[in-house]
Amino acid sequence: MDTSDCRDRRSRRGWKPYAAGAAVVAALLTSTACRSGEDGSPGGTAPSARPSTTDPAQPGGTAPATPGTTTPSTPSGTTAPPKPSATPGGSAVADCTTEQLAVSAVKEPADSKENRHLLLGVQNAGDAPCKLYRYPHVKLGADARTTVPVIQESDPDPGRPVVIAPGEEAYAALLVSGGGRDEYEAKSITLTLQGRAPGSRTGGPVDVPLPVATLHADDGQLITYWTTASGLALDFIMSK
């Protein structure tokens, strides 16, 4: 036998085991790599963490409800009860009394030589709003038998009282003499407030300080309704 054939056969027999061994090594390496990816070692994808039932909600999700912050919904088909107002039923405004009012009288215009036009004023000196009804009952002079007639069209808001807040004033314009007959001298003015019922009176008469010592009145005298606008009241008597 040719020695070279033996060498060739030995060489071929030695190649096969080597080739088989290389294939086995390659297979082992592949298997190892696959296992490394499964157990979290380098070269693989880490397994996802199991969700915890106690973890807080993540951004983008729905946060768990906080006790005490949930507003109960109104059952279908029912009406939610109205919210109570700050002052249930509203604050009742009391009637004005002469005890809480400061009374005054000024001549209009102030520099006039005549004393025919006066502006009567009452200021709320109390600490709460109050209501004035219609117009004041006014008498000129101690011997006056009747009260001064009212100018009906001077009512600024028919059927409603005038409300004055603390420190505010209301006015009624007085025509002392309207060119009528039976002129007389008046050295006093008394004022009585009306009550809620037309023609009624609240409290007794109060003396109004006079801007002059003597007034020359006649039976043409007139009075306006209460108003908080002095100019509006004067408009009804200045042309008379």
Side-chain angles (χ1 to χ4, degrees):
M1 181 182 293
D2 191 348
T3 58
S4 62
D5 291 339
C6 292
R7 286 194 300 273
D8 290 341
R9 284 195 295 271
R10 287 194 301 271
S11 177
R12 284 195 293 271
R13 285 196 300 269
W15 171 256
K16 289 178 180 177
Y18 174 79
V24 172
V25 171
L28 291 173
L29 290 174
T30 301
S31 176
T32 302
C34 291
R35 287 195 301 271
S36 299
E38 293 174 355
D39 61 11
S41 59
T45 303
S48 61
R50 293 182 179 179
S52 172
T53 58
T54 60
D55 288 343
Q58 298 300 318
T62 302
T66 302
T69 61
T70 302
T71 301
S73 60
T74 302
S76 176
T78 62
T79 303
K83 295 181 179 180
S85 61
T87 53
S91 298
V93 178
D95 299 343
C96 293
T97 63
T98 52
E99 288 78 14
Q100 72 185 102
L101 298 177
V103 184
S104 64
V106 295
K107 185 171 60 173
E108 292 291 342
D111 58 354
S112 174
K113 293 182 180 180
E114 296 182 329
N115 303 313
R116 296 179 60 239
H117 306 103
L118 299 182
L119 183 65
L120 307 183
V122 289
Q123 183 182 47
N124 184 354
D127 55 4
C130 67
K131 292 184 291 189
L132 291 170
Y133 295 95
R134 291 169 293 278
Y135 55 92
H137 291 303
V138 174
K139 285 186 176 183
L140 291 173
D143 297 328
R145 294 187 296 270
T146 61
T147 58
V148 179
V150 68
I151 303 174
Q152 290 292 344
E153 60 268 27
S154 67
D155 190 352
D157 194 0
R160 292 181 177 272
V162 172
V163 178
I164 50 175
E168 290 188 349
E169 293 182 79
Y171 308 93
L174 172 63
L175 180 64
V176 176
S177 60
R181 297 175 299 176
D182 298 331
E183 184 178 293
Y184 64 97
E185 292 185 351
K187 297 182 180 294
S188 66
I189 297 177
T190 59
L191 178 153
T192 306
L193 300 178
Q194 285 199 53
R196 297 189 182 188
S200 63
R201 288 171 169 77
T202 299
V206 294
D207 291 326
V208 181
L210 292 179
V212 294
T214 303
L215 296 172
H216 297 280
D218 63 24
D219 57 5
Q221 55 196 257
L222 294 169
I223 191 74
T224 68
Y225 276 75
W226 291 116
T227 177
T228 54
S230 60
L232 178 62
L234 289 170
D235 284 346
F236 288 96
I237 67 165
M238 295 304 293
S239 59
K240 299 183 182 300

